[in-house]
Amino acid sequence: NIDEVMKRNMNPLSVEEFKKEISAGSLILDTRDPDLFEKGFIQGAMNIGLGGQYAVWMGTLVDISQYLVIVADEGKEKESILRAARVGYENVKGFLKGGIAAWVNAGNALGKIHSITPQEFAGMLIPMAIGTGKHNILDVRRPSEYENGHVRGAQLLELASFPKNLKGLDKKKPYFVHCARGYRSMIASSLLKANGFENIVNVYGGYEQIKNTDAPI
C-alpha cells in the first residue's frame, strides 16, 4: 500500500539522524538537478535527478532492498520518495530536513564535481594524442549510441554496468566523463566519486554537443 509506505518513509531527519542512517548502511540518494548536485553534495551520494529518467535509473543501479536516505530540493522530498515507492523502493529511512543547506549550516564539508563545456573538452583533445593514456574518456552511453558515433579514443563504459565495471579503471588517472546530453554522466560521475575516483571531469551537454565541436569523432 503506497499510502502506508509514504507514512513510514516521509520521515524528516536532522543532520545527526541523517549521519546515523549513513553509518548504518543507508545509501544517500540525491535527487536534485545535476547542475546543482555538482556544486556541492554529501560525500558518497548518488545523483539521480528527478528531472530525468529517475525511476528507470533507480531500477537499474540501486538494489531494491537497499536502505536509502534522500537529499532533495525543499518541497521535492515527497515526490522523490513517492516515485521511488511506485517502483518498489520502500526502504527509505527518511530525508534530510532542510536539504543540503542544513548539512552546510551544521559545519559539514561538501564534495564537488568539476565540469567543462564541450568546446573546452575539444580544446583539450585537439593538441594532444588520444589513446596515449594521458586522457581517459569514458563514454557512458549505450553500445548502440556509441556505435553510431563517438569521440576517438573514448572507452565505452555503459552506465547500466556501473559500478561493477569500475574495477578495470585506475583511481590515480584523470577521467573525462560524458553521455548523450549530460544527465547520465552526472550519475556516472557521482558513482565514480563515491568509489574513490577523485580526478573526474564531467562534460556538459554530452555527445550531442561534443559532435558539433572540433573534437575528433
Side-chain angles (χ1 to χ4, degrees), residues 55-89:
V56 169
W57 287 111
M58 279 196 73
T60 304
L61 297 169
V62 182
D63 190 292
I64 200 81
S65 62
Q66 172 70 51
Y67 286 102
L68 301 168
V69 282
I70 302 290
V71 176
D73 284 320
E74 285 201 79
K76 293 288 188 180
E77 301 91 349
K78 183 175 182 180
E79 182 185 348
S80 301
I81 294 169
L82 178 60
R83 285 173 62 185
R86 282 176 177 156
V87 289
Y89 290 87

Side-chain angles (χ1 to χ4, degrees), residues 9 11 13 17-23 25-31 42 45-46 66-72 81 91-96:
N9 293 0
N11 184 26
L13 301 171
E17 288 168 334
F18 195 83
K19 285 182 176 178
K20 283 178 186 170
E21 294 296 349
I22 298 167
S23 297
S26 288
L27 171 70
I28 309 162
L29 180 65
D30 192 319
T31 69
I42 299 169
M46 179 191 295
Q66 172 70 51
Y67 286 102
L68 301 168
V69 282
I70 302 290
V71 176
I81 294 169
N91 292 327
V92 177
K93 304 298 283 184
F95 62 89
L96 180 59

Side-chain angles (χ1 to χ4, degrees), residues 28-42 44-48 71 100 110-113 186-187 189-191 193:
I28 309 162
L29 180 65
D30 192 319
T31 69
R32 294 175 300 148
D33 185 89
D35 291 346
L36 282 175
F37 176 85
E38 70 172 2
K39 292 179 176 67
F41 56 88
I42 299 169
M46 179 191 295
N47 175 231
I48 307 182
V71 176
I100 208 77
L110 294 176
K112 292 184 180 177
I113 289 171
M186 191 56 69
I187 300 174
S189 295
S190 72
L191 285 167
K193 281 277 190 177

Side-chain angles (χ1 to χ4, degrees), residues 8-210:
R8 187 172 71 246
N9 293 0
M10 275 297 292
N11 184 26
L13 301 171
S14 69
V15 171
E16 287 309 310
E17 288 168 334
F18 195 83
K19 285 182 176 178
K20 283 178 186 170
E21 294 296 349
I22 298 167
S23 297
S26 288
L27 171 70
I28 309 162
L29 180 65
D30 192 319
T31 69
R32 294 175 300 148
D33 185 89
D35 291 346
L36 282 175
F37 176 85
E38 70 172 2
K39 292 179 176 67
F41 56 88
I42 299 169
Q43 297 283 5
M46 179 191 295
N47 175 231
I48 307 182
L50 285 173
Q53 290 183 304
Y54 177 69
V56 169
W57 287 111
M58 279 196 73
T60 304
L61 297 169
V62 182
D63 190 292
I64 200 81
S65 62
Q66 172 70 51
Y67 286 102
L68 301 168
V69 282
I70 302 290
V71 176
D73 284 320
E74 285 201 79
K76 293 288 188 180
E77 301 91 349
K78 183 175 182 180
E79 182 185 348
S80 301
I81 294 169
L82 178 60
R83 285 173 62 185
R86 282 176 177 156
V87 289
Y89 290 87
E90 300 184 359
N91 292 327
V92 177
K93 304 298 283 184
F95 62 89
L96 180 59
K97 187 180 179 183
I100 208 77
W103 186 263
V104 174
N105 292 339
N108 297 294
L110 294 176
K112 292 184 180 177
I113 289 171
H114 178 54
S115 293
I116 58 174
T117 66
Q119 291 75 21
E120 289 170 325
F121 176 59
M124 290 175 175
L125 296 180
I126 293 159
M128 302 166 187
I130 297 195
T132 60
K134 290 178 183 174
H135 291 282
N136 302 284
I137 305 160
L138 299 181
D139 184 332
V140 302
R141 297 175 299 157
R142 296 187 303 276
S144 59
E145 293 174 287
Y146 180 86
E147 285 158 15
N148 283 333
H150 56 266
V151 177
R152 192 181 304 151
Q155 176 183 348
L156 176 64
L157 197 69
E158 187 181 11
L159 178 57
S161 71
F162 276 49
K164 63 179 182 290
N165 279 4
L166 302 185
K167 296 187 184 86
L169 302 180
D170 185 346
K171 290 183 181 179
K172 296 190 179 93
K173 286 183 179 178
Y175 288 98
F176 292 99
V177 185
H178 79 82
C179 59
R181 294 179 183 84
Y183 179 78
R184 284 174 286 177
S185 67
M186 191 56 69
I187 300 174
S189 295
S190 72
L191 285 167
L192 285 159
K193 281 277 190 177
N195 281 276
F197 292 82
E198 287 303 321
N199 204 344
I200 298 297
V201 178
N202 174 61
V203 185
Y204 286 127
Y207 185 76
E208 290 304 309
Q209 291 190 29
I210 294 167

Side-chain angles (χ1 to χ4, degrees), residues 1-9:
N1 185 301
I2 291 287
D3 290 338
E4 288 176 11
V5 172
M6 291 302 292
K7 278 180 192 171
R8 187 172 71 246
N9 293 0

